[in-house]
Amino acid sequence: MQDWWRNSVTYQIYPRSFQDSSGNGIGDIPGITARLAHVASLGVDAIWLSPVFTSPMADMGYDVSDYTDIDPLFGTLADFDALLARAHDLGLKVIIDQVLSHSSDQHPFFVESRACRDNPRADWYVWVDPMPDGSPPNNWVSVFGGSAWEWDARRRQYYLHNFLASQPDFNFHTPAVQDWLLQTMRFWLNRGVDGFRLDTVNFYFHDQKLRPNPPDPRNAVTPKVNPYDMQDHLYSKNRPENLGFLERLRALTDEYDARAMVGEVGESRRAGEIMAQYTAGTTRLHMAYSFDMLGPEFTAGHFRQKLESFYAAAPNGCPCWSFSNHDVIRHVTRWADHGAPDALAKLAIAMLAGFEGSLCLYQAEELGQTETDILYHELTDPPGFKFWPDYKGRDGCRTPMVWDGSAQAGFTSATPWLPIKPQQKARNVASQGAGSVLAAYREVLAFRKSTPALRQGRTRFLDLPEPVLGFLRDDLLCLYNLSPTEVRLTLNTQGHLTGPSQNAEIIDTNVILGPNGFVFVTGADGAKAA
């Protein structure tokens, strides 16, 4: 189906932590292939693989040194082809991560670019002369801390890096850079991949005038753990030239049948607006997602505002909603104040299933997995070292998948690259039977797939008081209690429970939602507080 991506469900796999087949403590591609039946059993449509390309692994593969080969840590191109074939046999599409905004500093093109100012790739990266006093050209800061400019003694210039200094930014104002990156993507399309997850899709272009970023009015007074959050990034990213490159990307994927792209919008102030802009019409991205639902906010008003603002700006656009990924604290831990772990996990998938748009699940959230408490000596993530102890980095959400109750949880026969601790191992796949979080995920996703209103229906929100989120998807009423305290509602007309539910009861026109209760109702066109 050409538009398989619309209203789809994608499962994100973090390759280092899914399954080790070689016995070195690190997950790999053959391991993923061996476990794909588990993913297919959830009822999802696609998998997204975080980067498996050749890399020195300074940022766990998000620093690419060869865009058309597999890192030996994960396997070979033949292993990738076998994964692709197995996934397709199981009815799963395969989306691969594309890190286009920057490369590794070990990429041959950066090595060439930094050698001198007049080589063929001298302008493939963003090079700028110092100010007269030797300082960087402006105030742009790195996501990972410190200036976004790194001095290079060979060229006697600064180069731009929005992340680690070992991740120099490509210069997208150089047409040859765009052409070459498109060729690397064509390599994977020809190999049979079904699409791309575009890392930091709003970072591609920078302001050529190098204007300084103004302070973010929300954060300019009180210093933050990471000063990156104190700027409004008007000029270091989110540039209007980005749209032209997105159209080139779309034209490339449109040359192939049934391919799709989902872009990660790394932005805090205007994320919904940018998502809508990037997915408007049929000539840009197929889908986009942001961090709007990956933070601590857990109110009905928050979720309503994010959905309503997106569709107001792009009525026919396609968002991709998610609650967890490899960059944030797992949502069961993040929202722990709002309910018990299992009840929260089941409520979360029921909410996602009700949201209009496409969905993305992060590996092990179907187990109700919680964040691992990482100690300093266990750290691997660069920003964790930089901002410890107030920010412990991203290792806590990246610990290995737990398949069973054995010593290393069925993930490896060796010492795993990140620790598997008892709290996480307790939530293993093998132990989750009837009534478990895993069973709830399968049930809810099957209900979504079999219910036209949840796949195609438009959303009309109900004006209900906190902590209740309520909306209609065509004729299906979806009600969620976002609290650990019972709430009562009255239906406008008598309705009937349909599909999965939790801590919910309907008596005549009365709805009782217990802690983190949810219910899907037919026959009622609305509800109000009792």
Side-chain angles (χ1 to χ4, degrees), residues 80-102:
F80 180 85
D81 291 341
L83 180 151
L84 199 61
R86 175 60 174 156
H88 288 164
D89 286 346
L90 291 168
L92 296 169
K93 306 290 187 181
V94 178
I95 295 172
I96 60 173
D97 223 321
Q98 291 288 291
V99 190
L100 305 183
S101 68
H102 55 267

Side-chain angles (χ1 to χ4, degrees), residues 316-359:
N316 297 312
C318 189
C320 186
W321 307 115
S322 58
F323 290 159
S324 282
N325 70 11
H326 64 294
D327 284 331
V328 300
I329 295 171
R330 288 186 175 273
H331 63 262
V332 170
T333 297
R334 214 167 62 234
W335 297 332
D337 291 344
H338 302 278
D342 282 10
L344 267 176
K346 295 174 185 178
L347 173 66
I349 187 56
M351 288 172 58
L352 274 179
F355 289 174
E356 186 175 348
S358 295
L359 317 178

Side-chain angles (χ1 to χ4, degrees), residues 213-217 228 230-235 267 269-270:
N213 286 326
D216 186 327
Y228 186 83
M230 298 177 69
Q231 288 188 2
D232 186 2
H233 303 278
L234 291 175
Y235 300 113
E267 169 62 21
R269 285 200 69 191
R270 292 171 289 275

Side-chain angles (χ1 to χ4, degrees), residues 157-174:
Q157 288 181 303
Y158 285 98
Y159 66 85
L160 178 65
H161 62 93
N162 273 295
F163 297 92
L164 294 176
S166 58
Q167 294 171 295
D169 276 43
F170 280 116
N171 182 6
F172 276 76
H173 294 287
T174 299

Side-chain angles (χ1 to χ4, degrees), residues 81-414:
D81 291 341
L83 180 151
L84 199 61
R86 175 60 174 156
H88 288 164
D89 286 346
L90 291 168
L92 296 169
K93 306 290 187 181
V94 178
I95 295 172
I96 60 173
D97 223 321
Q98 291 288 291
V99 190
L100 305 183
S101 68
H102 55 267
S103 75
S104 165
D105 62 352
Q106 296 183 31
H107 194 288
F109 292 169
F110 184 72
V111 173
E112 180 180 359
S113 186
R114 79 189 313 180
C116 61
R117 298 192 185 195
D118 59 359
N119 65 75
R121 293 190 173 85
D123 63 347
W124 276 47
Y125 294 83
V126 184
W127 294 98
V128 180
D129 290 331
M131 299 292 282
D133 64 357
S135 61
N138 60 31
N139 69 341
W140 297 353
V141 290
S142 161
V143 175
F144 289 166
S147 173
W149 299 99
E150 182 75 5
W151 178 251
D152 186 82
R154 276 155 286 193
R155 283 189 53 146
R156 290 171 172 75
Q157 288 181 303
Y158 285 98
Y159 66 85
L160 178 65
H161 62 93
N162 273 295
F163 297 92
L164 294 176
S166 58
Q167 294 171 295
D169 276 43
F170 280 116
N171 182 6
F172 276 76
H173 294 287
T174 299
V177 170
Q178 297 185 35
D179 295 343
W180 177 78
L181 287 168
L182 290 169
Q183 288 176 19
T184 68
M185 296 173 72
R186 188 181 293 279
F187 172 88
W188 295 105
L189 289 167
N190 288 339
R191 213 162 192 98
V193 302
D194 301 288
F196 304 104
R197 181 264 188 184
L198 300 171
D199 185 64
T200 59
V201 72
N202 56 319
F203 280 74
Y204 294 159
F205 284 84
H206 68 284
D207 175 43
Q208 287 185 293
K209 295 180 180 179
L210 301 179
R211 287 171 283 189
N213 286 326
D216 186 327
R218 302 170 303 174
N219 300 323
V221 177
T222 304
K224 301 295 178 182
V225 172
N226 185 348
Y228 186 83
D229 297 327
M230 298 177 69
Q231 288 188 2
D232 186 2
H233 303 278
L234 291 175
Y235 300 113
S236 52
K237 62 181 181 180
N238 304 325
R239 303 306 299 155
E241 299 94 329
N242 226 33
L243 295 177
F245 184 64
L246 299 186
E247 290 171 358
R248 293 195 70 189
L249 289 171
R250 181 61 176 264
L252 172 65
T253 56
D254 283 352
E255 293 179 27
Y256 299 79
D257 289 336
R259 311 300 169 97
M261 299 178 294
V262 54
E264 175 204 26
V265 175
E267 169 62 21
S268 61
R269 285 200 69 191
R270 292 171 289 275
E273 171 190 333
I274 295 169
M275 284 174 60
Q277 185 183 53
Y278 283 13
T279 60
T282 59
T283 62
R284 298 173 185 170
L285 299 182
H286 301 81
M287 302 174 284
Y289 83 93
S290 73
F291 285 68
D292 276 346
M293 295 187 183
L294 299 174
E297 297 85 0
F298 191 69
T299 66
H302 172 73
F303 294 113
R304 175 177 180 172
Q305 190 274 329
K306 296 308 175 187
L307 271 80
E308 284 189 326
S309 62
F310 176 88
Y311 283 109
N316 297 312
C318 189
C320 186
W321 307 115
S322 58
F323 290 159
S324 282
N325 70 11
H326 64 294
D327 284 331
V328 300
I329 295 171
R330 288 186 175 273
H331 63 262
V332 170
T333 297
R334 214 167 62 234
W335 297 332
D337 291 344
H338 302 278
D342 282 10
L344 267 176
K346 295 174 185 178
L347 173 66
I349 187 56
M351 288 172 58
L352 274 179
F355 289 174
E356 186 175 348
S358 295
L359 317 178
C360 188
L361 313 177
Y362 179 48
Q363 69 178 50
E365 74 171 73
E366 76 274 18
L367 310 178
Q369 193 55 275
T370 55
E371 187 81 354
T372 302
D373 183 19
I374 297 292
L375 305 178
Y376 187 81
H377 73 272
E378 297 168 332
L379 277 180
T380 70
D381 191 31
F385 290 107
K386 186 81 172 181
F387 300 116
W388 184 277
D390 290 336
Y391 176 66
K392 297 184 177 182
R394 301 164 294 179
D395 290 324
C397 66
R398 298 176 174 185
T399 54
M401 188 77 173
V402 289
W403 297 102
D404 58 39
S406 62
Q408 300 298 353
F411 166 71
T412 182
S413 59

